[in-house]
Amino acid sequence: DTAVSQTPKYLVTQMGNDKSIKCEQNLGHDTMYWYKQDSKKFLKIMFSYNNKELIINETVPNRFSPKSPDKAHLNLHINSLELGDSAVYFCASSQDLAANYGYTFGSGTRLTVV
Amino acid sequence: LAKTTQPISMDSYEGQEVNITCSHNNIATNDYITWYQQFPSQGPRFIIQGYKTKVTNEVASLFIPADRKSSTLSLPRVSLSDTAVYYCLVAGRTSGNTPLVFGKGTRLSVIA
């Protein structure tokens, strides 16, 4: 069983479209995250949720809207996609906000905007 | 979140021990040091975490000197499958210390 699974793995879409990426964790963790890894390989946090509550919103454009229907799911919806949104998006989870046992990442979604 | 500095890349032959050092001069008293491994097309994977002295698990060892201003990840007898990017992260183990950015990491290439 995959601990943190995100779909789709690859996403190619045109500028201006709206797309969603789904993430689910079966670890029973309270906290979930979205990270973006750009072409320079920096992995930067976008959002974190703890028990469905938004904790971190790290200067991300309003076009990005996370939704957490329950603590096992954190989806990312992106409106009006732009070329600069092309990146690999990683979902992650941790036991709680303190993350004493580290973070468990999904395998990533490679988004290409053309 | 303490700033960290690691070598951009390292090469090693199979079977050798590899040591990757991370500098974190402004580490805070309550900060822990954590290392992650990332293979191509995968998310980072937790390897090891420590606070001081030495920590060892089935994958690696982590050496932290008394001043804690640096740490060294030691991978014994590497194999081709250890080729990956290794990230050093320094953060407190309390709520509100979520790492905002993982640095570029160290790209380790293991050669046959």
Side-chain angles (χ1 to χ4, degrees):
Chain A
D1 277 345
T2 305
V4 179
S5 59
Q6 48 182 115
T7 56
K9 191 168 176 63
Y10 300 97
L11 187 52
V12 181
T13 187
Q14 290 185 326
M15 277 196 303
N17 283 351
D18 303 338
K19 291 293 179 186
S20 292
I21 308 172
K22 296 185 176 181
C23 180
E24 175 182 3
Q25 54 95 3
N26 62 4
L27 298 166
H29 286 171
D30 286 344
T31 311
M32 296 186 71
Y33 312 81
W34 277 109
Y35 278 84
K36 177 181 179 181
Q37 189 166 44
D38 58 25
S39 57
K40 295 181 178 179
K41 300 302 181 185
F42 284 107
L43 197 60
K44 299 178 183 176
I45 195 166
M46 300 173 70
F47 302 102
S48 74
Y49 271 74
N50 188 61
N51 278 318
K52 302 192 298 176
E53 180 186 349
L54 178 65
I55 302 298
I56 291 177
N57 180 344
E58 192 58 24
T59 320
V60 178
N62 291 338
R63 299 182 294 104
F64 290 79
S65 52
K67 283 190 172 48
S68 183
D70 54 62
K71 74 174 192 178
H73 295 84
L74 180 61
N75 303 322
L76 184 64
H77 187 76
I78 315 170
N79 289 326
S80 304
L81 278 155
E82 300 177 356
L83 293 176
D85 297 331
S86 295
V88 182
Y89 293 84
F90 288 99
C91 177
S93 72
S94 62
Q95 192 168 43
D96 50 34
L97 278 172
N100 288 346
Y101 301 100
Y103 303 86
T104 303
F105 283 83
S107 58
T109 296
R110 182 175 293 277
L111 171 65
T112 303
V113 182
V114 297
Chain B
L1 188 69
K3 186 177 184 304
T4 60
T5 304
Q6 311 173 225
I8 292 177
S9 64
M10 293 181 71
D11 293 334
S12 175
Y13 287 102
E14 273 192 298
Q16 288 187 330
E17 178 184 77
V18 170
N19 295 310
I20 306 174
T21 298
C22 178
S23 297
H24 28 81
N25 290 321
N26 59 340
I27 188 169
T29 304
N30 62 344
D31 282 345
Y32 280 73
I33 301 149
T34 311
W35 285 81
Y36 286 81
Q37 174 191 56
Q38 186 178 22
F39 296 115
S41 302
Q42 293 187 27
R45 182 176 73 102
F46 175 93
I47 302 176
I48 196 166
Q49 183 180 79
Y51 183 80
K52 62 180 179 180
T53 62
K54 177 183 173 182
V55 179
T56 297
N57 61 21
E58 63 278 5
V59 177
S61 294
L62 179 58
F63 298 93
I64 306 166
D67 66 6
R68 303 198 331 119
K69 292 184 184 299
S70 67
S71 59
T72 299
L73 174 72
S74 181
L75 304 172
R77 298 180 297 282
V78 294
S79 63
L80 294 175
S81 62
D82 292 317
T83 294
V85 178
Y86 292 83
Y87 296 96
C88 164
L89 221 64
V90 175
R93 281 172 55 172
T94 56
S95 299
N97 281 292
T98 302
L100 301 183
V101 180
F102 283 58
K104 285 190 175 181
T106 298
R107 184 174 298 278
L108 172 65
S109 298
V110 180
I111 308 161

